[in-house]
Amino acid sequence: MSDPAKSPIHFIKPRDEVEVHLPDGRVLQGKRNTPVGEFLKALPEWDNPLIVGAIVNHELRELTYPITIESKVIPLTMASADGARIYRRSLTFLLEAAFEELFPDAVLTVDHSVTSGGYYCQVGGRDPLSEGELKRLESRMRELVEQDLPFERLTVPLKEAVQYFETKGHQDKVRLLRYRHRETLVLYQLGSHRDYHHGYMVPSTGYLRWFGLKAMDEGFILQYPRRHAPRELLPLPDFSILLKTFKQYGAWLAHLGIDSVGALNDAISADRIREIILVSEALHEQKIAEIAREIVRRANQTRIILIAGPSSSGKTTFAKRLSVQLLAY
């Protein structure tokens, strides 16, 4: 048996400082329990492109995460997939807070994304925002960015969260949380505004310098940078046909009574899912029939029909069903 007194391994008191090891071999040293974001701000390139998160010892973390032991850290910038999601999620929260402050009796819906970088947003409970109101909303967002206010991360009892959303009239969130099994919920807070977001956020509003609001149809676009150009807002394309399709899709969901995830959960619990599937198939078949009629109407001009979509999106099934409809003419 070895003599413990002669062993090179021995107990010591923890040092006041810890080291952060970066992928390129550089090492940062700082006080224990310092947020990882403070370490990364010491990098000369920390905002080019902007660092918005980090992977600490193989785990995705917010920049407010404290470094308690020596750690391997990979910075996440706006040019990375996870970093881009953190930025967009935080920007959406900023929009919600400013909108609630200026239009407390209206309902904001952040809908589908657009290819140039942005989310199509709609306003309910009142008329669409005027040009002046949209400018006022963007100005308020920029004021909040200049103030560099913190996003507070709160873990609250589930009942408290449900009560908060009930007072705000967010019945879609109330219905969704009805199916949550955990007794607590993580909320983020900016001023008096709170919300539940699926993922991490930047530490404060000061990080959200690149955005814009543009009127579109009856709503507006919240613009954000794309990963390959993290400091730029790309020109908005004409997506009027796609927008019309999304609006039709929303009308279908409203007709089916499942315009939110909570409503869908309610339908499943009420054993309505078979009915919803059948009606959805009927609506889809109607749309395919419309497309077939349009193809026949333009038969002298149409030479090829293009069907696009990601893997497993139903392109082959759609082509077969369209073929059947065309054979009926």
Side-chain angles (χ1 to χ4, degrees), residues 96-107:
E96 291 175 354
F99 183 89
E100 183 181 89
E101 179 184 326
L102 296 178
F103 311 104
D105 297 326
V107 177

Side-chain angles (χ1 to χ4, degrees), residues 48-50 78-80 84 87-88 116-117 210 224-235:
N48 188 29
L50 184 66
M78 292 171 60
S80 68
Y87 187 88
R88 296 169 191 174
S116 60
W210 300 278
Y224 53 72
R226 297 297 303 270
R227 289 170 52 192
H228 65 276
R231 289 173 177 261
E232 299 178 22
L233 299 180
L234 302 180

Side-chain angles (χ1 to χ4, degrees), residues 86-260:
I86 290 172
Y87 187 88
R88 296 169 191 174
R89 187 181 301 118
S90 306
L91 186 60
T92 301
F93 187 64
L94 174 67
L95 170 65
E96 291 175 354
F99 183 89
E100 183 181 89
E101 179 184 326
L102 296 178
F103 311 104
D105 297 326
V107 177
L108 173 69
T109 301
V110 180
D111 213 326
H112 57 83
S113 60
V114 298
T115 56
S116 60
Y119 293 120
Y120 179 70
C121 304
Q122 300 184 76
V123 177
R126 52 152 291 163
D127 293 335
L129 297 184
S130 66
E131 182 178 347
E133 288 173 325
L134 193 61
K135 288 182 179 179
R136 187 154 61 97
L137 177 58
E138 182 173 342
S139 294
R140 182 53 185 154
M141 291 175 66
R142 297 199 182 280
E143 289 173 1
L144 294 173
V145 171
E146 287 297 320
Q147 294 172 25
D148 195 22
L149 301 174
F151 289 132
E152 298 182 67
R153 191 174 190 267
L154 310 170
T155 301
V156 303
L158 183 61
K159 290 183 179 179
E160 179 182 325
V162 170
Q163 289 173 357
Y164 172 79
F165 289 129
E166 283 180 337
T167 60
K168 294 294 183 179
H170 298 320
Q171 290 304 314
D172 56 333
K173 293 184 173 68
V174 173
R175 296 173 81 174
L176 177 62
L177 294 177
R178 189 182 302 156
Y179 297 93
R180 184 177 175 84
H181 299 297
R182 295 183 181 179
E183 296 183 356
T184 60
L185 185 70
V186 173
L187 297 179
Y188 286 88
Q189 181 168 316
L190 176 60
S192 62
H193 177 72
R194 291 183 175 186
D195 204 355
Y196 169 61
H197 285 264
H198 300 276
Y200 291 146
M201 309 271 275
V202 296
S204 65
T205 58
Y207 284 74
L208 306 174
R209 289 172 274 167
W210 300 278
F211 68 89
L213 301 182
K214 299 291 184 181
M216 179 66 65
D217 194 60
E218 296 180 351
F220 63 92
I221 303 294
L222 169 63
Q223 289 183 281
Y224 53 72
R226 297 297 303 270
R227 289 170 52 192
H228 65 276
R231 289 173 177 261
E232 299 178 22
L233 299 180
L234 302 180
L236 288 174
D238 179 14
F239 61 101
S240 55
I241 296 177
L242 183 61
L243 180 58
K244 180 181 177 182
T245 302
F246 274 117
K247 292 177 72 172
Q248 184 180 61
Y249 165 70
W252 284 6
L253 292 180
H255 177 74
L256 292 167
I258 53 170
D259 55 353
S260 69

